[in-house]
Amino acid sequence: MLTHLSIKQFAVVDSAELEFGPGMTVISGETGAGKSLLVDALGLICGLRADSGVVRHGADRAELAAGFALADAPSARAWLHENDLDEDDACQIRRVVRADGGSRAWINGRPATVGQLTELTGLLVEIHGQHEQQALLARSSQLSLLDAFGRTDAERSAVADAARRWSALLAEREALSAQGDVSDRIDWLEHQFAELEREELEPAALDQLATDHRRQAHAADLIAACDGALAQLSGDDLPSPVGIVEQIRGSLQRMREHEPRLDEVDGMLDAATIQLDEAQTLLDRIRSDLDIDPAAFQALDQRLGRLHDLARKHRVPPEHLLARRQEIATELDGLRGAGERLRALDAEIDAARGAWQKAADVLGARRREAAAALSAETTALIGELGMDAGRFEIAIDAIEEVRPDPQGAERVEFMVAANPGQPARPLRKVASGGELSRVSLAIEVAALGLDAVPTMVFDEVDSGIGGAVADIVGRKLRALGARRQVLCVTHLPQVAAQGHAHYRVSKAAAAGITQSEVRPLRAGEREDELARMLGGAELTREARAAARRLLADVE
């Protein structure tokens, strides 16, 4: 759960430190005092987009920080561990927004991205605001809410996968069909393949060709060099190196008894004699392999020229011609089998559509079950919220689509009948502001507890209601506080009285600058705040008495 929230230089808030405990915490204040700014600050900590407008005028940056205890958030603990950001059983999140609009974030003191903030806080905090009432009017949002209530993630995934499979097969068939008559393409590719097939293109063969070509190109020079070296080694004109080494060994032989280290020198000279003999033998073999052969050189030169011509033709280096030949072979196989593949695709597309239909039927059944349960729960709740004869229904309509839809085979519409004897009509067409608030709150309460998010924030979701209905809303939120940590920004005294803890936001001008202050209320101060909410700026005896009754009813 959320344990503390620190705000500095944020909008009209100079500095605020809030501590939170379990249960329901309410935040109240006069209109325009900035009580929703606390929710806005928490939203930025949760990864919402930041801009320079949130920085207090005259400051260079706004600083926001939140602390969470993780005993009731095992999913968040696991996420932190997987991302190497864990630290005991607590989590500290900090975000700084600069006056130029840039921002930075940290999780447990380590730099983090906005995406990481969003992922982590999605496991810690759920914010419900007035904008969600309008989102509830969109049919896409209604479908998402129904699927969340029915826990249809696995079924939706199966439908989406089947639809993607069908689409991929259809795209493949369309691509093959668009090729038309490919006989000319096949003839051209076969000619190119035959040209490449006549050449040895393996890396070893190319290396040997280059070596043989260089040898023939420099054959005369190689023969002359070998003959000269052999003449010197054999001693035809001058004493041979071997003979000179033997003479040296003989002259040192007589001195070895006077200097033992000469034995090592003699061994080296003996090894040199052996190396010279082996070098002469190898040189003689090389010389015997050398021959000036113009015809052989011409053949090698022509072969090398063909390879370079092919490389230019295919716009690749010679060493990539082998890969190019394989590409052509692969394309030929595909084109030759295009007819067979087209016939096979028809069957596969039909099978994929059948698989989608089967998955969509399973999803549709789960949605109908969820719709019946959510309709019943929401109808009961809106009755408690003052729409005694109200009725909430979820209409599920099959869609006639040629293409399998990743969303499934049906669309939903939230329907409401506000008065007895009236048919249910789409929520987006009939609900007034107050009715929409009640239906929205009823749906939210009915759908709560579907995940393990430990902290729930309600930002004036009780707008448009009052009186006895407000008292019921407050009791519902307090009951929810027994299972989750609840933070509620409210303007209704009946709701505020239900809180386990109470913060008041006030606004004043200091040195010509407007500032908002946030502070916790003690028991007597809570009574004053409820009296203000009931009676306005003047705290009358009647307002105080009504405030005491509200608090007494809670106890």
Side-chain angles (χ1 to χ4, degrees):
M1 68 175 183
L2 179 68
T3 57
H4 77 265
L5 178 65
S6 172
I7 303 173
K8 294 180 181 179
Q9 306 299 326
F10 180 73
V12 294
V13 179
D14 178 47
S15 178
E17 299 283 341
L18 292 82
E19 301 293 330
F20 299 99
M24 175 182 172
T25 298
V26 296
I27 300 169
S28 65
E30 295 179 359
T31 300
K35 51 185 179 293
S36 289
L37 286 176
L38 304 179
V39 178
D40 295 339
L42 194 57
L44 284 173
I45 286 173
C46 292
L48 291 182
R49 185 172 178 269
D51 60 65
S52 59
V54 304
V55 181
R56 181 174 169 79
H57 179 69
D60 60 350
R61 63 182 182 179
E63 297 187 30
L64 311 169
F68 295 88
L70 302 178
D72 56 356
S75 297
R77 283 203 310 272
W79 187 94
L80 288 166
H81 180 71
E82 291 170 3
N83 289 271
D84 297 323
L85 293 169
D86 52 327
E87 191 166 313
D88 300 326
D89 286 330
C91 175
Q92 302 291 327
I93 299 177
R94 179 169 172 254
R95 191 170 184 189
V96 172
V97 182
R98 300 190 303 273
D100 62 5
S103 72
R104 296 183 63 191
W106 294 263
I107 297 175
N108 285 333
R110 280 157 277 187
T113 66
V114 172
Q116 288 177 313
L117 287 190
T118 303
E119 288 182 23
L120 173 59
T121 56
L123 305 171
L124 293 169
V125 181
E126 192 172 282
I127 299 177
H128 298 263
Q130 296 182 66
H131 68 280
E132 292 186 355
Q133 297 177 5
Q134 297 302 317
L136 191 62
L137 300 180
R139 297 188 70 175
S140 58
S141 298
Q142 295 172 1
L143 181 63
S144 296
L145 192 150
L146 177 62
D147 281 332
F149 181 82
R151 300 179 184 273
T152 63
D153 289 350
E155 291 80 7
R156 284 192 66 165
S157 179
V159 168
D161 289 344
R164 282 192 293 270
R165 169 67 176 161
W166 181 89
S167 295
L169 291 171
L170 188 68
E172 183 182 354
R173 186 178 68 179
E174 290 173 350
L176 286 176
S177 298
Q179 292 178 349
D181 185 4
V182 296
S183 58
D184 290 341
R185 175 73 175 172
I186 290 175
D187 292 341
W188 183 67
L189 289 174
E190 285 179 340
H191 171 71
Q192 287 196 322
F193 183 79
E195 284 185 328
L196 293 170
E197 185 70 3
R198 286 193 291 267
E199 305 294 339
E200 294 183 54
L201 302 176
E202 289 71 19
L206 294 179
D207 290 343
Q208 188 62 49
L209 173 61
T211 300
D212 292 344
H213 187 269
R214 287 195 302 272
R215 182 184 297 115
Q216 281 294 330
H218 299 87
D221 293 336
L222 285 169
I223 290 171
C226 289
D227 286 342
L230 284 170
Q232 289 179 308
L233 286 172
S234 62
D236 291 345
D237 300 323
L238 297 171
S240 69
V242 174
I244 293 173
V245 171
E246 289 299 334
Q247 287 179 5
I248 295 172
R249 290 184 67 194
S251 64
L252 294 176
Q253 187 76 25
R254 297 186 295 274
M255 298 294 108
R256 288 168 60 187
E257 59 180 308
H258 306 304
E259 175 52 73
R261 286 179 294 176
L262 290 176
D263 285 341
E264 186 176 353
V265 174
D266 184 68
M268 292 178 180
L269 292 173
D270 184 44
T273 301
I274 296 172
Q275 290 291 323
L276 287 169
D277 285 338
E278 291 180 353
Q280 185 174 355
T281 301
L282 179 57
L283 191 56
D284 187 61
R285 189 180 309 124
I286 292 171
R287 172 61 186 88
S288 64
D289 291 340
L290 292 173
D291 189 17
I292 299 177
D293 188 345
F297 176 68
Q298 184 179 11
L300 291 169
D301 198 52
Q302 289 175 347
R303 183 181 166 200
L304 195 60
R306 289 197 305 272
L307 290 178
H308 284 292
D309 288 342
L310 287 171
R312 284 192 295 271
K313 180 177 181 179
H314 291 277
R315 298 181 181 179
V316 296
E319 59 269 22
H320 291 175
L321 286 173
L322 181 63
R324 177 60 185 147
R325 186 173 71 187
Q326 183 57 48
E327 290 173 5
I328 292 174
T330 301
E331 186 178 354
L332 276 171
D333 289 342
L335 291 175
R336 288 167 180 157
E340 287 186 22
R341 181 58 184 156
L342 276 172
R343 288 188 291 275
L345 278 171
D346 289 337
E348 290 183 29
I349 289 171
D350 288 342
R353 185 178 185 85
W356 174 85
Q357 188 63 60
K358 184 177 180 181
D361 289 344
V362 173
L363 175 60
R366 288 293 303 273
R367 282 173 170 168
R368 286 187 288 275
E369 292 175 6
L374 182 57
S375 296
E377 292 185 36
T378 303
T379 296
L381 286 166
I382 61 176
E384 294 182 48
L385 295 177
M387 296 173 63
D388 295 334
R391 187 173 76 256
F392 178 81
E393 299 176 0
I394 299 177
I396 298 181
D397 302 318
I399 55 175
E400 298 296 333
E401 293 281 354
V402 176
R403 301 175 63 91
D405 193 318
Q407 297 288 329
E410 54 276 319
R411 293 292 178 267
V412 304
E413 178 87 66
F414 285 5
M415 314 282 286
V416 65
N419 300 302
Q422 291 183 343
R425 298 183 59 198
L427 179 64
R428 55 191 166 86
K429 294 183 178 180
V430 299
S432 65
E435 290 170 343
L436 181 59
S437 295
R438 299 180 201 188
V439 173
S440 174
L441 186 60
I443 291 173
E444 287 175 0
V445 172
L448 291 178
L450 296 179
D451 51 36
V453 175
T455 299
M456 311 201 73
V457 182
F458 294 90
D459 184 15
E460 296 196 23
V461 296
D462 51 12
S463 62
I465 60 177
V469 175
D471 182 64
I472 295 172
V473 170
R475 294 179 187 277
K476 290 290 183 184
L477 291 174
R478 184 179 177 90
L480 178 62
R483 295 183 288 132
R484 296 279 194 276
Q485 182 189 42
V486 173
L487 275 61
C488 179
V489 176
T490 183
H491 65 285
L492 296 177
Q494 297 91 334
V495 174
Q498 296 291 334
H500 297 92
H502 194 153
Y503 278 93
R504 183 177 189 274
V505 182
S506 59
K507 184 171 65 173
I513 300 176
T514 300
Q515 296 187 14
S516 286
E517 179 187 20
V518 186
R519 65 184 186 87
L521 301 180
R522 296 186 295 272
E525 294 173 321
R526 286 195 71 186
E527 181 180 306
D528 289 345
E529 174 64 4
L530 293 178
R532 180 197 65 76
M533 298 172 75
L534 284 162
E538 184 178 353
L539 300 183
T540 63
R541 183 169 51 190
E542 292 79 4
R544 289 183 182 277
R548 283 193 295 273
R549 283 196 300 273
L550 286 176
L551 292 171
D553 287 344
V554 174
E555 298 171 357

